[in-house]
Amino acid sequence: AAAPQAAGGRPGPCRWRPRGLNFAPVAPNTADAVVVPDGYAQQVVIGWGDPVLRGAPRFDPARQTPQAQARQFGYNNDYIALLDLSHRRGQKLLVVNHEYTSEELMFFGYDPDAPTREQVETAWAAHGLSVVVVDADRRSGRLRPVAGHPTNRRVTATTPMELTGPAAGSALLKTSADPSGRRVLGTLNNCGGGTTPWGTVLTGEENFNQYFANAGRVTDPAARARLARYGLPTGASGRKWERFDDRFDIAKEPNEPNRFGWVVEIDPYDPDSTPRKRTALGRFKHEAAEPRLTPDGRVALYMGDDERFDYLYKFVSKHRYKKGRGKGAREHNMRLLDEGTLYVATFTGDSPAKEIDGSGTLPADGEFDGTGTWIPLATGTTSHVPGMTADEVYVFTRLAADKVGATKMDRPEDVEPHPRTGRVYVALTNNTDRGAAGKAGADEANPRNGNKHGHVLELEEHRSNAGATRFRWKLLLVCGDPDDPGTYFAGFDKSKVSPISCPDNLAFDELGNLWISTDGNALGSNDGLFAVPLTGPHRGHVQQFLTVPKGAETCGPVITRDRVLVAAQHPGEIDGATAENPASAWPDGPGRLPRPAIVSVWKGDERR
């Protein structure tokens, strides 16, 4: 039978679909809605401003306050974890982080040059994480938040946290408010994350640089270079937070930025626990923190630095994971991420350089592939980087990776180990500067100059050992319009795939299929969620499962047997849009502010 037709007359995926992906792909579109396949239902689970803690008021966009927001669901939901609650049949624990705030879309009458204290403090409260117990409907994919549940929690930009690991207490982390260098207020710009085998959640602080001001007033040349390498503004910040708290003014608190850009570990089951920033994992723009166990039981953690021409990292713990949820095992496991070795990756292609011409044309061997090495940067208090102390390696990890010659990548974002095969998948979102004057040109791991659409890399550790220092790699996908000869879908027939652009977050379903969410679709369609098999004749067969509303990116995602969860982040975030002139009416309809929200999708009747 002929394949069904998709948008633009392109043949849709073939009739015989891979196991677990039996849906009719959603066509590219620009609808102001979450669009799902025929036969699927959807529900907004929780959105910005919905009550989380006891006593939280209902959301009122005209009367926002810091006190209300600190008890309500935060803004710009990104990473999602859906965890089991022991002895709580039919309930789950939903953990969501909140990357950043879009004040012009949040507040009526917002003046970016003169924000009010109330607006700024409300934004502080809208950052961080939300932990919410949800009732799971056994007949459908619906999830109903249990507002006021004693396990619920809000973590914000002012929540006390502990710095742990080898750099804790370093002079580089001390401030006038914290001469110990071990206590910090809050977490900012939380993006990708992960869950640990011992039941905690990891969340990565990404673009923390945007919150600080006045790096240009620093006179020490070495300090100025470090600040510049992390993109700290030389003048005022865009948010003007430095007017309301001196810690955001680098001229007054030069070490405060060093206290952000870490992986934060939180115990979601204990609302009174202190979140910990794990310095052994390095400081950069973290976009992932997904663990995998080595054959001898140590924890390997894969991490991307989401910046053009930045790097892929791995941490391997010194000590082994202890099974069980007893107090002793849990206390042991909660220290695993403080001791170990931090590595950065180098990639070498196996094709002649002349065959990598920057167009995306495959080399003669038919694949972009090669070998790689994990270069050690630091182990405990020992630096492996000449000219840098261990503290400097952890706090200025980018500069350490520069020194050892790590491979400059096209924005490595989410990094996910496959739960069965152990192969590691890396979303490289894009890099339009690749090959520009004075910039690195194409290489086999990043084979296109002016890379607008990104690619997905597959990495296999030597002997499948996550603790190895060698690996092989190949590109699974080179994204973009399938009609573009510079795209590649693992060798699958490109006439049968969905167009995909700018891969960001990754997840797996129970059958081992890879799911990819996108951010910044450069093909003219809204961002979406895609699924692709990794084995068999359908390897590379990309199918679009849903799209998110105008101006939004697709985050999360979580794929279970019963439901698919996505975070629709920043709906309506389009140039020129404001609270008075919104570009989206999702999810509440015309006349209401657009709200970032978590969406559940399941196969079945919407009325259930």
Side-chain angles (χ1 to χ4, degrees):
Q5 293 292 303
R10 173 181 303 285
C14 62
R15 179 179 178 182
W16 304 109
R17 301 189 182 101
R19 188 169 175 234
L21 303 180
N22 189 27
F23 60 85
V26 168
N29 66 80
T30 56
D32 190 29
V34 173
V35 179
V36 299
D38 290 342
Y40 283 78
Q42 62 172 292
Q43 165 221 9
V44 172
V45 177
I46 190 169
W48 169 48
D50 286 341
V52 172
L53 303 184
R54 188 185 304 273
R58 295 184 64 182
F59 178 60
D60 183 347
R63 300 178 62 187
Q64 297 184 61
T65 68
Q67 295 75 22
Q69 179 63 86
R71 308 185 77 79
Q72 297 167 330
F73 194 72
Y75 200 79
N76 273 345
N77 31 230
D78 196 300
Y79 175 74
I80 305 171
L82 189 64
L83 308 176
D84 290 330
L85 275 172
S86 60
H87 311 300
R88 295 285 183 177
R89 185 173 177 83
Q91 287 192 330
K92 297 282 188 180
L93 194 59
L94 181 69
V95 185
V96 180
N97 66 21
H98 303 291
E99 187 173 358
Y100 67 98
T101 45
S102 305
E103 283 82 351
E104 67 281 1
L105 304 182
M106 295 171 63
F107 302 115
F108 294 104
Y110 180 74
D111 182 351
D113 294 322
T116 67
R117 174 171 287 278
E118 185 168 72
Q119 289 169 337
V120 168
E121 292 187 356
T122 301
W124 292 348
H127 280 72
L129 296 94
S130 295
V131 180
V132 188
V133 172
V134 292
D135 285 327
D137 189 333
R138 295 175 61 191
R139 299 175 301 163
S140 74
R142 287 188 178 275
L143 299 171
R144 295 181 177 88
V146 183
H149 191 283
T151 305
N152 290 3
R153 184 177 190 180
R154 277 301 325 281
V155 173
T156 73
T158 58
T159 299
M161 301 193 173
E162 181 183 1
L163 288 155
T164 70
S170 166
L172 297 168
L173 299 176
K174 295 179 179 180
T175 66
S176 59
D178 173 34
S180 74
R182 295 177 182 273
R183 301 288 290 179
V184 61
L185 291 180
T187 181
L188 298 171
N189 215 263
N190 286 266
C191 204
T195 58
T196 68
W198 51 94
T200 61
V201 169
L202 306 175
T203 176
E205 297 181 313
E206 193 188 28
N207 294 304
F208 63 90
N209 56 307
Q210 64 184 276
Y211 302 95
F212 295 90
N214 298 325
R217 296 185 187 177
V218 174
T219 57
D220 177 69
R224 287 175 66 98
R226 290 166 170 170
L227 292 165
R229 183 65 178 86
Y230 281 84
L232 276 300
T234 56
S237 72
R239 299 171 187 276
K240 311 298 188 294
W241 286 7
E242 64 274 16
R243 297 180 183 176
F244 303 94
D245 190 334
D246 285 349
R247 70 184 178 125
F248 297 108
D249 188 335
I250 298 169
K252 297 177 180 178
E253 290 290 353
N255 282 347
E256 187 69 21
N258 298 346
R259 294 146 65 87
F260 295 87
W262 303 101
V263 169
V264 182
E265 184 172 12
I266 181 172
D267 183 352
Y269 297 98
D270 181 0
D272 297 320
S273 61
T274 300
R276 298 169 179 176
K277 298 193 179 189
R278 302 297 193 184
T279 64
L281 306 184
R283 174 175 164 269
F284 42 89
K285 293 185 178 180
H286 280 277
E287 173 64 36
E290 278 294 345
R292 178 188 169 207
L293 295 180
T294 66
D296 64 357
R298 292 173 296 147
V299 177
L301 198 70
Y302 296 91
M303 303 169 286
D305 185 352
D306 183 10
E307 191 85 76
R308 296 169 183 172
F309 302 111
D310 261 295
Y311 308 120
L312 178 68
Y313 296 88
K314 179 175 77 170
F315 169 84
V316 180
S317 69
K318 176 181 178 181
H319 300 290
R320 297 183 177 117
Y321 165 66
K322 286 187 177 180
K323 294 182 180 180
R325 293 298 176 91
K327 182 179 179 181
R330 190 164 177 77
E331 288 179 352
H332 169 85
N333 293 332
M334 289 285 284
R335 296 191 294 270
L336 286 176
L337 301 184
D338 283 337
E339 293 185 83
T341 299
L342 180 64
Y343 299 88
V344 69
T346 63
F347 293 81
T348 302
D350 66 1
S351 298
K354 65 182 180 180
E355 294 185 9
I356 310 301
D357 62 6
S359 69
T361 300
L362 288 171
D365 67 1
E367 287 188 313
F368 296 112
D369 60 349
T371 59
T373 303
W374 294 107
I375 301 177
L377 298 177
T379 303
T381 57
T382 301
S383 169
H384 302 299
V385 181
M388 296 183 75
T389 67
D391 284 357
E392 289 170 337
V393 169
Y394 294 119
V395 178
F396 308 116
T397 310
R398 282 182 168 180
L399 282 83
D402 291 342
K403 278 181 172 286
V404 301
T407 301
K408 300 178 184 296
M409 306 296 285
D410 286 355
R411 288 185 59 198
E413 296 213 31
D414 203 0
V415 189
E416 294 276 340
H418 194 286
R420 294 182 182 177
T421 68
R423 290 175 181 162
V424 178
Y425 293 81
V426 185
L428 296 134
T429 297
N430 56 39
N431 184 356
T432 53
D433 284 350
R434 175 73 63 178
K439 306 280 187 170
D443 55 48
E444 195 158 353
N446 305 275
R448 287 185 299 189
N449 290 327
N451 181 10
K452 295 189 298 182
H453 302 296
H455 48 284
V456 177
L457 183 145
E458 181 181 70
L459 182 155
E460 185 170 11
E461 299 274 24
H462 182 62
R463 296 183 177 176
S464 195
N465 182 349
T469 57
R470 293 181 291 145
F471 58 85
R472 293 200 60 83
W473 63 269
K474 62 179 63 176
L475 296 191
L476 173 74
L477 305 176
V478 180
C479 300
D481 185 342
D483 286 337
D484 182 343
T487 57
Y488 173 73
F489 293 80
F492 192 79
D493 184 349
K494 294 201 295 182
S495 71
K496 295 180 172 63
V497 303
S498 296
I500 182 173
S501 174
C502 301
D504 188 339
N505 296 132
L506 306 175
F508 296 95
D509 61 30
E510 63 178 9
L511 298 174
N513 298 305
L514 178 65
W515 293 68
I516 306 168
S517 65
T518 65
D519 173 20
N521 190 332
L523 292 171
S525 171
N526 290 351
D527 279 307
L529 178 66
F530 301 76
V532 56
L534 299 175
T535 60
H538 286 276
R539 176 177 163 88
H541 183 179
V542 172
Q543 301 177 86
Q544 183 161 246
F545 180 74
L546 60 73
T547 54
V548 292
K550 291 192 298 186
E553 69 170 286
T554 320
C555 298
V558 172
I559 318 297
T560 73
R561 178 177 298 183
D562 302 317
R563 62 182 64 83
V564 170
L565 290 178
V566 294
Q569 187 184 136
H570 56 71
E573 191 172 82
I574 294 171
D575 288 347
T578 63
E580 291 82 5
N581 183 33
S584 171
W586 187 86
D588 299 322
R592 306 289 296 277
L593 291 185
R595 292 194 301 148
I598 305 300
V599 178
S600 178
V601 180
W602 66 93
K603 189 162 188 173
D605 190 337
E606 179 73 59
R607 295 170 295 180
R608 283 201 285 178

